[in-house]
Structures are given as C-alpha cells and as structure tokens.
Amino acid sequence: MLTFMKFGVIIAFLFSLVSLSYLVLKTFSHEKKKLNAEPRGDWKKGIIYAFGKGMMPWEKESARNHLPTYIGGIFYHIGIFISLLYLLIVILAIQLPAAVILPVRVLSLAGAIAGLALLAKRIFSPVMRALSCPDDFAANIIVDIFLILSFLHTLLPAPSPVPVPVVTLFLFASAVIMFLYMPLGKIRHCFFFFYVRILFGIFYGRRGVFQNNFCHQGGKVFLIINFLVFLRALVP
Amino acid sequence: MNENETYVSKDPFDEKIEQLSPADREKALKVFAEKINREFAVYFNSCVHCGLCADSCHYYLTHQDIQSLPAYKLGLVIGIFKKYFSFMGKNMPGWVGAKSFDNRMVKEWVDSLYGRCSLCGRCSLNCSIGINIAALIRAARGALAAIGLVPPGLQSTIETAVEKGNNMGIKKDDWLETASWLEEELQTEIADPAARIPMDQKDARYFYTINPREAMFFPLSISAVAKLFHAAGESWTLAADSYDVTNYGLYSGDDETAGMLSDRLVQGMAKLGCKTLVLAECGHGFKSNRWEAPEWLSKKYGFEVKSILEVVAGFIREGRIKLDPAKNQEPVTLHDPCNLVRMGGIIEEQRFILRHAVSQFIEMIPNREKNFCCGGGGGQLAMTQFSQRRLKAGGVKAEQIRKTGAKIVATPCHNCIDQLMELNKHYQLDVKIKTVCELAADALVL
Ligand code: SF4
Ligand code: SF4
C-alpha cells in the first residue's frame, strides 16, 4: 500500500510538472514584447529591488498596512516549501534527526495556522468573499490539509511502532490531490510568481524608477521615513 | 447620479452597448486576443485574489465599493481571458471565475475599466505578485475602442487631435499669433528685445512640445519655459504644426491611433533636424512619447527624448541659469504625476529644481513613485459622465495637500493641474497651482 501511494505521489508530481511546463510553454508561445524605448535606468537593479527591498513592509505600503496577512503569507509559503521538502524525505524514507524534525514541525504548523487564518479571512471578510471564486477556497483548503498532515507526520515516533502509519497514507493522498490540482487552479501562481517579479523589476528598472530612490540622498531619507512609519504601524 | 452607482443612465452610448451584436463582441475579443503578449499571459495566470491591492487605489479608498477594488477590475479582464483562452475557464468557468463577454459584461468593462481607473499604476507597485494591472486594464480598453466604445468625451478629444493636429483644435494662425504675442510679452518683461520664442527653427538643439491647453488657457507656462531657455542661452524651437505633446490614445487603449499621434512629433523632429525632443510638463505626454511610442511604432528613435524638467535641472547643474529661492516665499508642495514619476522615472529632477527655486519645499506623504494619483489621469478629465467619481476619488489627494499646509502646489503636468484646480475648489484647499517651470522662471535671476 505504501509503495503504491508513494508511486501515486510521484506520478501526480510528474503530472503536475508536465502540465505546468506545458502551461508555461503555452504562455511563452505568445509574442515577447519588444522594448524599443531607450532605457533610463538599469533593469538589473529593478530585478534586485523586486526580489529584495520591493517586498519589504517598510517599502511596500500594502504589506505595511496588512502586516498580519503579510506575515501570515510568508509563514504559509515557508511552511509549504518545508513540507514539500519533508514529503521528499518521507518518500525517500530518510530518518531525520530530532534536531531537524523540530524546525520542520514548527514551520509546518506555523504554515498550517497561517493557511487556516487566511482561509478564515477569505470566508469572513465580505470584500475577500466578493473577490473569491471556488478555486480560491479549494486551493487553500487542499494546501492546508497537506500542511496539517505534514505537521502530524512529524509527530510520529521514530521508528514507527506500526509498519504503515495512517498519517503517512493521508499525507501521501493529500500530496497526490495537491499535485493534481496544482496546474488546474490558482496554485499555479507558484510557477509564475518569479517571472512576474522579474517583469516588474525590468519595467521599473529600465525606467529608472527605483534607481532614483537609492542613488539620491532624498531617496535614502524617504526610505528611513518609510521604515519609521512602518515601526509606528507596529505600535497599537 | 450617485457616484457609487453603476453608470446606468439611458443615453446613446448605453444604447450602443445594448445593441452590440455577437459579431461586435467577437471583434472586441479578437482585438483583445491580439493584445495578449507573453507578459500579459503571465499576468493572467498570476492574481491570487489576496486583496492587498485594495487600499493602494484612490478609487477604492474613497468609494469603498468592490467595483473600485483593483483586483476586481483586473478580475473583469482576467475573467474574460479565462473564459475564452484557458482550459479550466472553458470547461469549468464558475469554478475559476471565468466570465462571458456578453453585453452586460461589456457595460461593466466600460463602467469599471474606463470609469473607475485612472491607469495610475499605484496598485501594481503594491500588488503582492507585481502584476501590471494598469497595462492590462489599458489593453482591455483597447478592445472596447475597437468596437467604438471609448466614452464620448475621450473619443472626441482624440478625434480633434487626429483631425485638427492638436487636442484643443487650435488653428495654426491662432497658435502662431499666440506664440508671437508671448514673444513680445517676454521681450517687454525681461527688457531684452533679443528674447525669442523661436518657431520652426531648423537644426535647433531642442524641439520643444507643449500641451495645447497651455496655448489656450495657460500661456504663461510657455513663457516660463521660453524665459528659462533664453536665460540659459539655449538653442531651441517650437513647431508650427507638430507641437502637441498629449496623446489620448494612451488612455483609449487604441495603439494605432496613439502611434499615429506620437509619430507626428517624430516627423516634426525629422523636418527640423533637431537633436532632442523635449516634452513639456505633461505626465501622460511624457509616458506616451518617451516610453510607449517606440513600442506603438515598433521602432527605436534615433534621437533623445527628454522631459523639460531634465533640461532645466541640467541648466541649473551646469550653472547656466541662476535661481533665487527668496523670490518664491510661500510654502510649496509637489504633486508627482503618475505617468511622469511612477511610470516615467522622472523623480528627482523636479525636486532638484524646486529646492533651488523656492524657500520652503514640503514633501507630501507618500511621495515620489508611491504618491497617490490626483484622479485626473486615465482620460478621466475628458470623460464627463464619470466626473463625480473623479472628484470623489481626488479626495485622497486633497487630504494629502491639506496636510502639508502648503500654499502652492507645484506639479509638472497640465492634466494634473486641471484636476488639482477642481479639487482646490471642491475641497476648499485655498492653494495656488503652478507648474515647476513657472516657479523656476519666477525665481530666475537675470
Ligand atoms: S491603476 Fe490606479 S486607478 Fe487603476 S485600479 Fe490601479 S490604483 Fe486604481
Ligand atoms: S494584490 Fe495583486 S495578486 Fe493580490 S488581489 Fe491584488 S492584483 Fe491580485
């Protein structure tokens, strides 16, 4: 049964990978926009900004004003990443030392709590409800279940007293569902996120938008003011 | 009409929407499909409905309705992409939020994409993912433009520009007369008969363009620039025919017309053999001609394109003009036009000029690329049916201005000036609105 489930996870993962790759290829089959205007700034600096300061709450108003959601989102995504690594370890039947298990346990739990909190926000906030479609709820629930099962799995004693713990089977089943759903719904954004950030960086970087902020004294002062505003937002 | 209501009054434009045939909608979808490049296709797959873009939009902040939320507006566009161009959207539309492009949806597109967005791009900066929401909304506007659904005020501005050569329909004789009158005034003001407002000067270094509103209503902003050029001893010219920096095709979403309008300046440059195209203080004119036109026209320009702010800041840096800030004593704040700053990259030049030209300069919070839109962009000033919403959306800017305590609001954009003047009246701000070059010219030491 365990081997069968492991096999299922691998097949589902491959399905996901192939489907997402197809989707990416389809997306990339569209013509690339040619940029003829002479750049004013450096696109590379823009990309560095997009993946660095541009995501920080003292720089980004939406993150600053919605700190719980922002922090929840970070924990959610860290939890998912760690749980995926953990899944690989479980499939490969590698025994992790207790010192490593502990952070995995904490992060998968934190991810699960964050996921459930984001789900609650989507359910109870009228604005979020109005913005959402069934896919949003489904994607969240599927991933939350995977995170919860990852967390529960980390609680199993090692070596296991039973040959095939039921939690393991459920963890594999949830992974199968998650991988199968990935290319169909919004979880696919995990593939596109990085490309969008690159496009974001290129757009503003070429136009010299952020460059001004970091090259001139005024920009640095502004950054400090932003950081102070952010700190003030932390005080109730 | 209550500004929170959807635009429902029965007028010929509404009837036109109601009478759209499937063939019309198909045509719009075809144009929409043609606009989907790789970048857009990636964006269409990326919105996670987190809602964090909500309070970055001045429409949402002031109206607090779901229709004003950036992600909702974006969802109207993505919903159509999903329905007609994605596997899940075609097979399980309700599950993924795919939407049919029926007449009701067309009406909502017009109402939301034209009527609730100034294409300011502030939401993109704040989007969790980084989606260029304004670009997608503009692309959808382009599909509406293809079936003649640009709101009448905006469309007539474009038609005037296409037919008459400038968006105010100024006759050539009137323009030449205005320029010559301004030249005489300038000579008297600075007591220098050599001061000139050159017209069609071949091989001049700078080919200067204006917003036709300046010639019609704000001629002093032309004199201000002329005074600065004169003081710097620079070689420059205006053109008798191609001088309109504005391009409302940017707002209608019609790339072809937009390209044609911008190409006039390219032709003007070629005709006079000038070295640098200098764009007047006009946010959307800058964005159009500096950043978008080379894409619309699918060609690289063989000349430099600059904002007048870059030129004037250069004069100051090189010591070619001297400004005395004591000549502008009242406290001044600066409004950053979205198209020039957030989407244009001209951020520090206006600050550099103002620091040399005025005694007290107070920044609005937030400022620079994070600044709020005044509400006048996106063609809103031309689309009179949405003017109540526009004024309400401008409330965020009015509050920003009030908090600075400034007596003068400087802004390098004539569209922003129009909106700020209305906000000044509506919100009783009791401020004067000026261009940056006007303040610089007032501080000039001759
Ligand atoms: S571009 Fe500006 S007006 Fe339009 S949705 Fe975004 S923030 Fe709002
Ligand atoms: S912030 Fe970006 S990803 Fe989130 S709802 Fe708004 S547009 Fe979508």
Side-chain angles (χ1 to χ4, degrees):
Chain A
M1 183 65 173
L2 193 62
T3 315
F4 174 74
M5 287 304 282
K6 271 189 192 176
F7 192 62
V9 173
I10 293 165
I11 295 288
F13 173 73
L14 289 176
F15 165 80
S16 184
L17 201 66
V18 170
S19 309
L20 280 168
S21 303
Y22 170 74
L23 193 68
V24 170
L25 283 179
K26 210 175 135 201
T27 305
F28 275 56
S29 69
H30 290 280
E31 202 189 339
K32 188 168 178 249
K33 190 176 167 190
K34 221 169 154 242
L35 300 171
N36 294 312
E38 224 16 68
R40 191 170 186 272
D42 187 348
W43 59 269
K44 293 183 279 322
K45 279 188 183 169
I47 293 178
I48 292 167
Y49 176 89
F51 285 102
K53 287 188 178 110
M55 300 214 283
M56 294 299 128
W58 51 85
E59 181 67 9
K60 195 169 179 175
E61 182 190 279
S62 55
R64 186 164 64 240
N65 291 349
H66 299 271
L67 262 188
T69 306
Y70 174 77
I71 294 169
I74 289 175
F75 276 110
Y76 192 37
H77 287 89
I78 292 176
I80 295 167
F81 182 70
I82 293 293
S83 298
L84 282 171
L85 284 182
Y86 183 67
L87 176 72
L88 180 69
I89 283 161
V90 176
I91 286 178
L92 296 176
I94 299 171
Q95 280 294 332
L96 286 178
V100 178
I101 282 282
L102 185 67
V104 174
R105 188 178 296 156
V106 170
L107 290 172
S108 57
L109 177 65
I113 293 170
L116 290 170
L118 293 173
L119 178 66
K121 185 180 173 191
R122 199 173 283 289
I123 293 169
F124 295 112
S125 151
V127 171
M128 290 300 289
R129 260 202 322 271
L131 264 189
S132 305
C133 53
D135 172 40
D136 293 308
F137 295 98
N140 194 328
I141 291 167
I142 289 169
V143 174
D144 291 352
I145 291 172
F146 171 68
L147 285 169
I148 292 167
L149 289 164
S150 298
F151 164 69
L152 291 177
H153 196 276
T154 64
L155 298 176
L156 286 181
S160 174
V162 286
V164 184
V166 87
V167 173
T168 310
L169 293 180
F170 277 122
L171 175 66
F172 286 168
S174 74
V176 167
I177 294 170
M178 187 175 72
F179 285 134
L180 290 180
Y181 192 69
M182 211 178 247
L184 304 175
K186 78 177 233 190
I187 309 178
R188 64 169 71 160
H189 78 267
C190 63
F191 251 61
F192 291 103
F193 170 79
F194 299 96
Y195 192 52
V196 175
R197 285 314 283 175
I198 289 170
L199 290 170
F200 176 94
I202 293 173
F203 180 88
Y204 291 106
R206 280 187 90 247
R207 294 181 183 211
V209 174
F210 305 129
Q211 178 157 284
N212 284 299
N213 250 350
F214 302 109
C215 295
H216 295 260
Q217 214 185 349
K220 282 179 190 134
V221 170
F222 182 59
L223 205 68
I224 293 165
I225 291 172
N226 255 328
F227 184 64
L228 293 176
V229 171
F230 164 67
L231 288 182
R232 209 188 58 188
L234 293 178
V235 181
Chain B
M1 185 178 73
N2 181 325
E3 67 274 9
N4 282 327
E5 286 170 15
T6 298
Y7 169 51
V8 287
S9 67
K10 270 272 179 213
D11 70 5
F13 190 69
D14 278 328
E15 278 172 22
K16 196 171 168 183
I17 296 175
E18 276 158 25
Q19 284 159 14
L20 284 178
S21 66
D24 293 326
R25 291 194 300 271
E26 230 155 81
K27 185 176 171 196
L29 280 175
K30 191 166 166 274
V31 172
F32 180 64
E34 283 164 10
K35 286 179 182 288
I36 304 173
N37 55 29
R38 186 179 302 174
E39 192 177 319
F40 287 2
V42 172
Y43 293 149
F44 285 140
N45 281 294
S46 301
C47 178
V48 291
H49 294 162
C50 67
L52 292 194
C53 48
D55 19 284
S56 57
C57 178
H58 51 299
Y59 276 93
Y60 185 74
L61 282 175
T62 49
H63 290 78
Q64 294 287 320
D65 52 11
I66 186 79
Q67 293 95 327
S68 298
L69 206 148
Y72 180 87
K73 294 176 241 187
L74 177 65
L76 294 176
V77 185
I78 294 184
I80 299 305
F81 169 81
K82 284 183 175 164
K83 172 78 190 169
Y84 298 95
F85 308 101
S86 84
F87 171 79
M88 282 296 277
K90 281 178 192 165
N91 296 293
M92 292 176 72
W95 188 259
V96 293
K99 296 180 172 81
S100 294
F101 198 59
D102 51 23
N103 287 356
R104 202 192 52 78
M105 178 53 72
V106 172
K107 196 165 180 166
E108 193 165 4
W109 265 33
V110 171
D111 182 71
S112 287
L113 307 184
Y114 276 116
R116 291 177 194 271
C117 178
S118 55
L119 300 179
C120 74
R122 197 169 190 275
C123 48
S124 312
L125 212 58
N126 283 291
C127 168
S128 308
I129 309 286
I131 301 169
N132 193 338
I133 299 169
L136 296 178
I137 290 180
R138 182 181 179 274
R141 283 186 178 195
L144 293 172
I147 51 170
L149 288 181
V150 178
L154 181 55
Q155 184 57 29
S156 75
T157 308
I158 294 168
E159 278 162 16
T160 307
V162 171
E163 285 158 24
K164 308 264 167 67
N166 66 84
N167 78 21
M168 301 291 294
I170 301 169
K171 293 199 183 90
K172 187 171 175 177
D173 288 351
D174 293 342
W175 162 231
L176 294 177
E177 205 175 297
T178 303
S180 137
W181 162 70
L182 285 172
E183 186 175 79
E184 281 167 30
E185 293 279 308
L186 181 66
Q187 289 167 350
T188 315
E189 189 197 335
I190 61 174
D192 183 353
R196 299 226 24 234
I197 295 191
M199 190 61 74
D200 283 342
Q201 185 84 55
K202 286 217 173 213
D203 300 323
R205 180 170 178 202
Y206 291 132
F207 180 104
Y208 184 59
T209 57
I210 62 155
N211 182 323
R213 295 190 73 73
E214 296 180 73
M216 201 86 151
F217 306 118
F218 306 100
L220 292 184
S221 66
I222 302 175
S223 325
V225 171
K227 209 165 145 185
L228 292 165
F229 272 130
H230 174 71
E234 189 53 271
S235 143
W236 71 292
T237 188
L238 284 166
D241 298 305
S242 323
Y243 59 86
D244 184 353
V245 72
T246 70
N247 191 328
Y248 282 81
L250 177 76
Y251 293 149
S252 71
D254 175 358
D255 290 349
E256 204 178 312
T257 307
M260 188 268 274
L261 291 172
S262 281
D263 199 39
R264 286 176 177 170
L265 299 184
V266 180
Q267 304 301 330
M269 282 287 292
K271 192 172 140 197
L272 296 183
C274 299
K275 291 195 177 52
T276 305
L277 175 63
V278 180
L279 308 168
E281 293 182 81
C282 175
H284 89 276
F286 182 81
K287 187 186 181 214
S288 299
N289 294 298
R290 173 65 177 84
W291 293 111
E292 308 298 337
E295 328 302 353
W296 293 330
L297 298 168
S298 305
K299 66 178 178 194
K300 285 189 190 290
Y301 283 2
F303 51 81
E304 247 186 337
V305 185
K306 282 189 168 183
S307 156
I308 183 66
L309 300 173
E310 294 174 278
V311 174
V312 173
F315 291 162
I316 299 172
R317 253 183 234 120
E318 292 157 17
R320 292 169 66 185
I321 57 172
K322 198 167 157 24
L323 306 183
D324 177 7
K327 292 190 175 189
N328 287 310
Q329 285 290 344
E330 287 185 294
V332 176
T333 189
L334 173 70
H335 163 64
D336 287 301
C338 311
N339 284 311
L340 183 78
V341 177
R342 182 164 36 248
M343 292 189 283
I346 305 292
I347 301 175
E348 299 303 329
E349 285 77 0
Q350 51 275 46
R351 292 173 162 79
F352 179 77
I353 297 170
L354 287 177
R355 277 191 215 107
H356 284 82
V358 307
S359 304
Q360 287 184 68
F361 172 47
I362 311 156
E363 286 279 13
M364 288 184 198
I365 303 283
N367 55 52
R368 294 180 169 83
E369 77 276 3
K370 298 181 180 70
N371 195 29
F372 275 103
C373 175
C374 64
Q380 293 302 333
L381 282 156
M383 297 184 283
T384 46
Q385 71 268 46
F386 304 123
S387 56
Q388 287 309 307
R389 275 188 207 158
R390 166 173 58 80
L391 276 178
K392 190 167 176 177
V396 176
K397 177 55 56 185
E399 220 24 62
Q400 264 194 300
I401 294 172
R402 208 190 296 280
K403 280 186 184 153
T404 64
K407 287 284 158 222
I408 297 175
V409 181
T411 188
C413 173
H414 278 275
N415 269 5
C416 295
I417 284 184
D418 281 358
Q419 168 77 345
L420 292 173
M421 279 167 55
E422 283 198 47
L423 297 181
N424 193 16
K425 214 159 97 188
H426 189 78
Y427 293 96
Q428 298 174 358
L429 298 172
D430 195 22
V431 290
K432 281 174 257 173
I433 325 280
K434 291 192 170 195
T435 66
V436 173
C437 287
E438 280 168 12
L439 285 164
D442 288 346
L444 206 51
V445 180
L446 284 169

